[in-house]
Amino acid sequence: MQRRDFLLRISAGAAAGLAATSLGSCLSQPENPQNTPVDFTLDLSQFPQLNRTGGFLIKDNVLVARTIQGDYVAATVICSHEQQRKVVYDDDKNQFHCTAHDARFDSRGKGLNSNGKRNLTVYNTQLNGNDLRVYS
Ligand code: FES
């Protein structure tokens, strides 16, 4: 085997290995919660951050926030753009915001810019006394 042929085979193998690694990392992305049912209840006496407007918490990849108006909203923390877990609640604008690439969504999950065009999965909330149910 010529040295040139040997080097070509090595580089082809390296490219195949790189492709397999990239594919593997794609496959290990976090599960998209759009297909995962959500149903849990929070005792608000245990979560003071939800007793003030603009406060939020994250449980099981679900962000639960209290809006300036005093309502509760919930959405996945996994962004629809590139599936990063970087969605937060921006109380100044009453929007969900992904800090990775600035995707923005209204409180109903509707995308507000190009990185948010796939919308965001949101969940229902229901307050019964001190219990806040979050469900899909
Ligand atoms: S991953 Fe959220 S904006 Fe890109």
Side-chain angles (χ1 to χ4, degrees):
M1 176 182 305
Q2 297 283 333
R3 180 167 189 237
R4 182 173 184 269
D5 290 339
F6 175 73
L7 290 174
L8 284 173
R9 285 184 187 191
I10 292 284
S11 58
L18 183 61
T21 302
S22 298
L23 180 60
S25 66
C26 288
L27 294 174
S28 65
Q29 293 273 332
E31 182 180 343
N32 186 337
Q34 290 178 340
N35 302 323
T36 305
V38 166
D39 194 350
F40 59 83
T41 300
L42 299 172
D43 177 355
L44 294 180
S45 66
Q46 304 298 311
F47 301 101
Q49 63 270 52
L50 290 179
N51 290 317
R52 61 177 169 75
T53 59
F56 71 91
L57 62 75
I58 296 169
K59 173 180 171 37
D60 299 335
N61 288 326
V62 176
L63 184 156
V64 182
R66 186 167 186 189
T67 69
I68 292 175
Q69 294 79 21
D71 301 324
Y72 290 95
V73 292
T76 176
V77 293
I78 301 175
C79 183
S80 57
H81 178 233
E82 290 184 356
Q83 288 70 53
Q84 294 195 35
R85 287 184 168 102
K86 294 193 173 178
V87 174
V88 297
Y89 177 67
D90 179 348
D91 61 322
D92 285 341
K93 297 180 178 173
N94 192 26
Q95 294 175 354
F96 295 108
H97 174 223
C98 179
T99 59
H101 311 110
D102 198 35
R104 290 204 168 262
F105 311 90
D106 71 14
S107 61
R108 294 183 176 175
K110 183 177 183 303
L112 300 174
N113 60 10
S114 61
N115 285 345
K117 66 185 175 192
R118 291 188 196 131
N119 301 326
L120 190 68
T121 299
V122 295
Y123 303 108
N124 302 301
T125 60
Q126 182 179 40
L127 186 62
N128 294 312
N130 245 10
D131 291 336
L132 178 66
R133 181 180 176 210
V134 180
Y135 60 102
S136 48

